[in-house]
Amino acid sequence: MKKIVLASSNAGKVREINNLLLQNNIEVVPQSAFDIPDAIEDGLSFVENAIIKARHAAKLSGSPAIADDSGIEVDALNHRPGIYSARYSGEGATSEKNNQKMLGELEGVAEENRSARYQCVMVFMRDADDPMPIITQGSLEGRILEAPRGEGGFGYDPIFYLPDHKCAAAEISLEEKNKISHRAIALNAMIARLKDTGIIS
């Protein structure tokens, strides 16, 4: 089984990505297993931050690395929080605080104007000096609810409504989420690219 370092210590992210890659005989090892600290994400786009994270993990582990940078864009907030989704509520940000801040900023905004989307950029680097990293992208359309719903998922899932499923992202199973999520779309595209280039069989 091929091992790839995942440039994240986020347990939810590790679980989602491993769930998909294990089906392709790839085991994802979180960077925490190598005592690798989080990279400083000072890029100005999802693409830049994903490359920074993948290069950092590949360099410190000496292994191929995969990273994603993802977040949520809300149209009524001029596409914020975007790359700042994880730290939207400031110092000591948590998912709950981020969700509460977003709900507060959208108070009084009509349902039809609460459109939003999850974005994910996935990057694979063979090593830290890889001049041509493989980059894929996925997105998932929805809208922001007026109050949290569900116990599953992580991040903004309790307030992210999926029109096709008529429920919040936190109310669907991990199995279902892995079929439709922005991360699943980007990761499935990545798997296809890794097969095309012969990195995996």
Side-chain angles (χ1 to χ4, degrees), residues 70-116:
S70 49
I72 192 168
E73 295 179 354
V74 181
D75 293 326
L77 301 178
N78 295 320
H79 312 298
R80 290 185 300 116
I83 62 170
Y84 304 107
S85 294
R87 47 194 189 277
Y88 182 41
S89 57
E91 193 76 30
T94 63
S95 293
E96 190 176 352
K97 287 179 183 175
N98 289 339
N99 287 337
Q100 289 306 318
K101 177 175 181 179
M102 184 172 288
L103 292 175
E105 290 202 342
L106 289 173
E107 194 170 345
V109 175
E111 181 180 312
E112 63 270 21
N113 296 325
R114 298 171 79 96
S115 54

Side-chain angles (χ1 to χ4, degrees), residues 118 140-145 147-151 156-173 176-177 180:
Y118 274 131
L140 178 65
E141 295 287 331
R143 63 177 167 77
I144 305 302
L145 291 162
R149 286 166 48 174
E151 301 296 325
Y156 295 88
D157 287 354
I159 61 170
F160 189 79
Y161 184 76
L162 301 166
D164 291 346
H165 289 70
K166 296 182 171 53
C167 66
E171 294 178 298
I172 61 173
S173 67
E176 184 63 25
K177 188 180 179 186
I180 65 161

Side-chain angles (χ1 to χ4, degrees), residues 120-168:
C120 175
V121 171
M122 192 81 58
V123 169
F124 173 83
M125 299 188 89
R126 294 165 292 181
D127 55 64
D129 299 314
D130 190 344
M132 278 295 287
I134 296 173
I135 302 172
T136 57
Q137 184 265 341
S139 60
L140 178 65
E141 295 287 331
R143 63 177 167 77
I144 305 302
L145 291 162
E146 293 186 356
R149 286 166 48 174
E151 301 296 325
F154 61 97
Y156 295 88
D157 287 354
I159 61 170
F160 189 79
Y161 184 76
L162 301 166
D164 291 346
H165 289 70
K166 296 182 171 53
C167 66

